[in-house]
Amino acid sequence: MSLASTGTMRAGPSMLARLFAQQELALLLCLILVIAFFSFTAENFFSVRNMTNVLGQASLALTAGIGCAIVFISGEVDISIGSLLATIALPLIIIMNDTNSLLLGVGGALLFGLIIGVVNGYLTAYAGINSLIVTLGTMFIMRGGVYLYTGQRAIPDDAALDSFIALSDGRLFNVVPYSAVIALVLLAAFAYMMRHRPFGRQIYAVGGNPEVARLAGYDVRRVKFICFIISALLATVAGIILAARVGSAQHTAGLNFEFQVVAATVLGGVSLAGGIGSLTGMALGVLILQFLSNGLRGLGLPTEWQLVITGMIIIAAVALDEAKRRRANGG
């Protein structure tokens, strides 16, 4: 029996806290090394402007990664988030153009995201369909729907509301992008929930061993259902920020975004088997990949090599995680 099936249920809160602290320390050291290396090798890398720009660029993956990690920890997967980023821009932009109201536009986008979360959650948790198949299906349906509706043409933001544009261009104290502030606030809130609130403990229990969690009195299906809703709503928030950034609804928005988020989540120590991982680790994984990409661009390395190096890092991270699990199991 794997550690993912037993470790979370057997480990107490203090043991889990020590495990997360060790993972996060290793990731933090890795992040520091990445920043230190490129600070000496890439021109203008270590500057306030570049550091804050990287935070802004990472905000989308940070925001959507929270939901992705929560679904992973619950023992399921959600790969529909990239297509959701493109799809929610349609009600957002269309409603804002028609009503000149950011509130109504955001409300329409969140409602659509909620519907997608309910569909993904219901089909997985209550209908019993594999979550990979469910979210793969909704991913293709949404992406195809966007292509059909837009005719592969961008729908511009004609309303051009200052409050909407500020999501992309605005900076707190003229330094930190608002998108990064939103991501960090959401990260802090959900990290607190996962570590200190009963529902967070239920998610770990369900992901670690759903049968034991059920015997302990947890409603396994309800927990997984809510996790998919959280994931969809957070991806919707990321999609709103992306739409503000590009100033339109585009059929190519969020293309392959789900794989970037999954890569960062796995690098951050979140187990694909469920029950293990932390949102702080996920966030550090996002930042490592974002600073790595930024630094490699600063060195003039072609995009193709950036992808190759990133892929090698992900494989190495998963291999090390698997080796650690085998040692923990005495295998």
Side-chain angles (χ1 to χ4, degrees), residues 7 58 93 111 121 135 179 191 199 221 226 260 271 299 326:
I93 297 297
L111 177 60
T135 56
S179 59
F199 186 67
R221 293 188 297 181
I226 293 175
Q260 300 173 29
S271 173
L299 294 177
R326 289 179 179 177

Side-chain angles (χ1 to χ4, degrees), residues 36-46 294-300:
F37 174 78
F38 288 116
S39 295
F40 289 103
T41 57
E43 188 177 358
N44 298 322
F45 178 84
F46 194 70
N294 182 270
L296 292 174
R297 284 198 302 271
L299 294 177

Side-chain angles (χ1 to χ4, degrees), residues 90-111:
L90 292 176
L92 173 69
I93 297 297
I94 291 170
I95 292 174
M96 284 199 305
N97 286 345
D98 289 344
T99 66
N100 210 41
S101 169
L102 176 62
L103 182 61
L104 290 177
V106 169
L110 289 172
L111 177 60

Side-chain angles (χ1 to χ4, degrees), residues 230-294:
I230 292 172
S231 179
L233 289 176
L234 288 171
T236 299
V237 174
I240 292 170
I241 295 171
L242 178 60
R245 188 172 295 176
V246 300
S248 63
Q250 299 184 5
H251 61 282
T252 57
L255 201 60
N256 296 324
F257 176 76
E258 59 273 4
F259 301 115
Q260 300 173 29
V261 174
V262 169
T265 301
V266 172
L267 178 61
V270 178
S271 173
L272 294 173
I276 294 177
S278 72
L279 298 187
T280 307
M282 175 280 301
L284 289 169
V286 169
L287 293 176
I288 288 170
L289 291 183
Q290 196 65 57
F291 275 108
L292 179 66
S293 176
N294 182 270

